[in-house]
Amino acid sequence: MLGFSGLDILALLLHAAGVGVALALEIRSYSEKWGFRVFVVMTAIPFLTAVSTLLVWAAVSIVRPGLLALLQVGA
């Protein structure tokens, strides 16, 4: 096993998004259509995946302690 943590995976997704921006800007000068496709596939998808994962992680970290406290009080 390689031992990647969740933060390593998020960093790789954000890195892929940065590479996607560079590629899209380079390709756009040759072909507007392909530049946009590269932008969507290599930038938007990894970036939105990383951001949504961070938002879900933040929501779980905020809600979980509260739910555990409510379950302990009710028990």
Side-chain angles (χ1 to χ4, degrees):
M1 189 127 189
L2 293 174
F4 284 116
S5 70
L7 289 177
D8 292 333
I9 294 169
L10 289 175
L12 289 172
L13 285 171
L14 291 174
H15 179 73
V19 170
V21 169
L23 282 174
L25 290 175
E26 183 66 30
I27 293 172
R28 192 180 67 164
S29 61
Y30 300 108
S31 168
E32 190 71 32
K33 178 176 71 172
W34 282 106
F36 179 72
R37 288 179 182 172
V38 167
F39 176 79
V40 168
V41 170
M42 290 196 65
T43 302
I45 293 173
F47 181 75
L48 292 175
T49 302
V51 169
S52 61
T53 304
L54 284 172
L55 289 175
V56 168
W57 175 75
V60 167
S61 344
I62 291 170
V63 171
R64 185 173 171 241
L67 286 176
L68 290 175
L70 285 175
L71 290 174
Q72 288 177 354
V73 169

